[in-house]
Structure formats: structure tokens, C-alpha cells
Amino acid sequence: KISGDNFSILSLEDGQMILSLSDGMGTGMNASEESESVIELLEQFMEAGFREESAIRLINSILVLKSEEQSFSTIDLSMLNLYTGVCEFVKIGAATTFIKRDHWVETISSTTMPAGVFNEVDFDQKSKKLYDGDYIIMMTDGVLDCIQGENKEKRMQEMIHELKAMNPQEMSNQIIQMALHENHDV
């Protein structure tokens, strides 16, 4: 199967680390190509010096112009200033992001529609100070959809809080395994 999700990790010369995740609507090759083009455009605009709001508006305009094909994609950005530790979160139709710190897990959610749905894009933006040892956990709705029940984000928050792993790859493997386990319990 082909995933409709794509991601990027981009380091800019000014000390910015940009983590981006996009979920192309639908399944298969079309969804994958859509989210891949969103990620590539985002990288190009950010490397060219565009501010995130301008880059997002341009990407939305491109998707709207392709509207006869109904091309929609979520955009999930975490822009971390490596000097100050301040992270700007920008979410457009994206699944919840989790910040894991020592003994608690915070959520950053989106209430907007994916890019390409409307002529004017609406996005949620939040700024957080991060500290040494904090983890940013981004995921698409495919992982959250494995969780049964009404409050999937709350259950995922509890699962992330229970994680013992300190290595990001091990953490992600454990999250996937827990989500799959939750899915098979039905």
C-alpha cells in the first residue's frame, strides 16, 4: 500500500529547524503525490525566505487552482528556533501534536479544514517554549484513527505519557505498536 503521508525535516542557516508533515486526502498514489508536492513547495518557500504564513497562503492558492481535481492536504508545521527553544506550531487540518516533557504531555490541536478547501486558508498557530529533553510528537490522523472511543487524543496523550523509551525511533515504534494494539482490541 502507498501512504498518503509525507514529511520533511529542514535545517535553515538562521538556526531554525522546520518539521513538516502533510496528509494528502484520500489514499494511494494521488494522496501521496499531493502531500509530497505540498512538502516540497513548503521547503522551497521556506528556504527562499518566505514567512510561514505567506508560504501557506501560496500553497493553498495552488491547491485551490487545482480544485477540479479536489486536491486537499493537511499541513502540520513545527518551527523550532534552536537558539531560543521557542517553537511555533502551525496546523491546517492536521492531527493533534503532542509535547512530551518529564511527567506530562501537552496537546496542540487544529480546528481548521485542510489546505485547498477554501480560497482563504485558515490555520491554528501556537507558540511554546521547549526545554532540553522535550519531545515533539507529530502524527497524521491514521495513527489516531486506530484508537477506539470518543476521545482519541486523550487516550493517545495517556499512551505517550506511559512511554519509557528515550530514543525517538523507539518512541515512534512503541506508539505505533500501542495504536495497533488498541485497534485490534475491538
Side-chain angles (χ1 to χ4, degrees), residues 3 32-33 43 55 62 65 76 83 94-95 107 117 123 147 150 168 174 181:
S3 173
S32 179
E33 288 173 355
E43 281 184 335
I62 292 167
L65 288 173
D76 198 354
Y83 299 119
T107 60
V117 174
F123 53 89
I147 308 299
E150 290 295 313
Q174 287 181 10
H181 179 74

Side-chain angles (χ1 to χ4, degrees), residues 33-52:
E33 288 173 355
E34 196 63 51
S35 64
E36 182 178 11
S37 70
V38 165
I39 293 294
E40 286 175 359
L41 285 168
L42 192 55
E43 281 184 335
Q44 291 170 4
F45 289 141
M46 298 304 281
E47 285 178 322
F50 282 80
R51 302 240 343 115
E52 63 272 8

Side-chain angles (χ1 to χ4, degrees), residues 30-156:
N30 288 342
S32 179
E33 288 173 355
E34 196 63 51
S35 64
E36 182 178 11
S37 70
V38 165
I39 293 294
E40 286 175 359
L41 285 168
L42 192 55
E43 281 184 335
Q44 291 170 4
F45 289 141
M46 298 304 281
E47 285 178 322
F50 282 80
R51 302 240 343 115
E52 63 272 8
E53 292 93 353
S54 298
I56 288 166
R57 290 186 200 294
L58 286 168
I59 292 168
N60 186 68
S61 295
I62 292 167
L63 293 175
V64 167
L65 288 173
K66 294 169 58 175
S67 65
E68 67 241 11
E69 301 169 26
Q70 291 193 345
S71 47
F72 312 128
S73 288
T74 65
I75 300 175
D76 198 354
L77 289 175
S78 297
M79 297 168 296
L80 177 61
N81 182 315
L82 297 175
Y83 299 119
T84 65
V86 174
C87 189
E88 295 289 330
F89 297 93
V90 178
K91 304 180 86 51
I92 302 164
T96 301
T97 294
F98 301 86
I99 301 172
K100 180 174 174 39
R101 178 180 295 155
D102 292 329
H103 303 293
W104 58 268
V105 177
E106 183 175 355
T107 60
I108 298 173
S109 299
S110 176
T111 58
T112 61
M113 298 296 288
V117 174
F118 300 114
N119 288 337
E120 288 296 316
V121 67
D122 190 22
F123 53 89
D124 295 308
Q125 192 166 13
K126 194 171 205 174
S127 181
K128 287 285 179 189
K129 172 76 171 152
L130 300 180
Y131 299 93
D132 188 38
D134 288 356
Y135 294 92
I136 299 170
I137 302 169
M138 300 168 69
M139 62 184 69
T140 60
D141 61 358
V143 177
L144 284 173
D145 285 345
C146 287
I147 308 299
Q148 302 302 311
E150 290 295 313
N151 199 340
K152 298 170 186 294
E153 288 83 6
K154 181 71 174 162
R155 178 64 186 125
M156 181 59 73

